[in-house]
Amino acid sequence: MHIDIITCLPRLLESPFSDSILKRAINKGLVNVNIIDLRPYSLGKHKEIDDYAFGGGAGMVMMIEPIDRCISDLKSKREYDDIIYMSPDGEMLTQPVANELSLKKNLILLCGHYKGVDERVREHLITREISIGNYVLSGGELAAAVVADAVIRLLPGVLNDETSALTDSFQDGLVAPPVYTRPSEYKGWKVPEVLLSGHEAKITQWKYEKSLERTKNRRPDLLS
Ligand code: SAH
């Protein structure tokens, strides 16, 4: 898989991909994450990428031209399954959306800033819009990193235990059961007996019951 992230603040995207699972996935060649600085695509004397909004109002708007030149440049190198603008009014990122994106080959994630991008970018240059929640961030970078993380961890070979992503919350419409590790007793607080029993069928049943119980208590919306 190949993910290009277009941003005017490339440094914001350095650390999410330089540690742990995502770093390993990149080093293993399972995914290629390319952070693309938008600014060099500006033809302006000062490499400006934003300007005042027509009609007035507070906040700068990202100009279409650098974004168009950047996307055109990328499209000349490969074909993209989706060109996604990160946007608070986009389609909500959910596990099924992450699952679907993980099957794609080439993706562009476009990060907005300030008041967002010129509407013509949304009308003509992108194929899809994704939001990570009903709140407004100052830029699309953190949102793009969230999307990339949710997608990359699903790629075959990224997680050590291949079934691990399948037992996470939301994959089966339930939230995950509680988990424990050593010591089996701490300050008198005990790990449920069944998990120490070695009885696989009973453990599976217990996990399922706990998942169901948790989903009923915390996320009844998932059951309806
Ligand atoms: N004026 C816009 C918000 C702009 S926020 C509005 O009211 O809708 C600046 C940028 O941050 C956006 O262009 C977008 O790329 C990103 N962003 C902000 N909140 C986001 C969210 N919840 N999900 C995804 N991207 C978001």
Side-chain angles (χ1 to χ4, degrees):
M1 176 177 240
H2 183 100
I3 304 177
D4 285 321
I5 308 182
I6 303 173
T7 169
C8 55
L9 293 168
R11 278 201 317 197
L12 268 182
L13 283 162
E14 273 168 22
S15 73
F17 301 103
S18 46
D19 260 305
S20 186
I21 292 173
L22 301 192
K23 177 186 176 189
R24 225 171 28 240
I26 292 166
N27 288 347
K28 277 199 206 162
L30 300 170
V31 63
N32 187 10
V33 179
N34 207 1
I35 311 298
I36 296 149
D37 187 359
L38 183 62
R39 211 163 279 278
Y41 288 94
S42 167
L43 291 174
K45 224 195 316 186
H46 306 289
K47 294 286 167 204
E48 50 275 64
I49 45 144
D50 60 321
D51 210 334
Y52 294 103
F54 279 130
M60 305 296 275
V61 176
M62 288 176 71
M63 297 187 291
I64 187 169
E65 189 178 42
I67 295 173
D68 186 26
R69 296 184 71 230
C70 181
I71 290 177
S72 298
D73 183 32
L74 295 176
K75 279 166 87 175
S76 70
K77 293 177 196 152
R78 58 180 63 79
E79 229 172 273
Y80 288 92
D81 298 286
D82 263 320
I83 302 176
I84 301 169
Y85 174 51
M86 303 312 308
S87 182
D89 60 2
E91 171 189 9
M92 196 67 75
L93 179 67
T94 59
Q95 193 60 52
V97 170
N99 293 353
E100 186 214 327
L101 291 177
S102 75
L103 302 174
K104 312 267 185 190
K105 211 164 143 240
N106 299 316
L107 293 175
I108 292 177
L109 305 179
L110 170 64
C111 305
H113 242 274
Y114 320 112
K115 274 281 150 193
V117 297
D118 186 306
E119 186 65 17
R120 291 166 293 182
V121 169
R122 304 175 70 170
E123 283 168 4
H124 303 291
L125 303 182
I126 60 155
T127 62
R128 192 167 179 169
E129 306 190 327
I130 291 182
S131 164
I132 65 160
N134 290 334
Y135 40 81
V136 175
L137 304 164
S138 50
E141 287 73 17
L142 298 180
V146 166
V147 169
D149 185 313
V151 168
I152 292 169
R153 67 193 295 284
L154 298 172
L155 300 177
V158 170
L159 297 183
N160 289 334
D161 175 357
E162 294 246 355
T163 62
S164 177
L166 296 176
T167 59
D168 284 326
S169 290
F170 309 115
Q171 282 297 11
D172 48 7
L174 300 176
V175 301
V179 290
Y180 300 87
T181 186
R182 288 184 302 165
S184 58
E185 185 173 341
Y186 180 72
K187 292 185 174 174
W189 303 322
K190 289 186 182 149
V191 169
E193 205 64 49
V194 59
L195 294 178
L196 311 174
S197 70
H199 194 301
E200 204 152 322
K202 274 190 191 153
I203 293 173
T204 304
Q205 180 63 23
W206 181 88
K207 286 183 178 173
Y208 174 70
E209 281 164 10
K210 286 289 166 191
S211 269
L212 200 58
E213 182 186 309
R214 248 188 194 196
T215 310
K216 271 184 199 152
N217 290 338
R218 296 177 183 214
R219 295 298 306 273
D221 57 300
L222 295 176
L223 296 172
S224 55

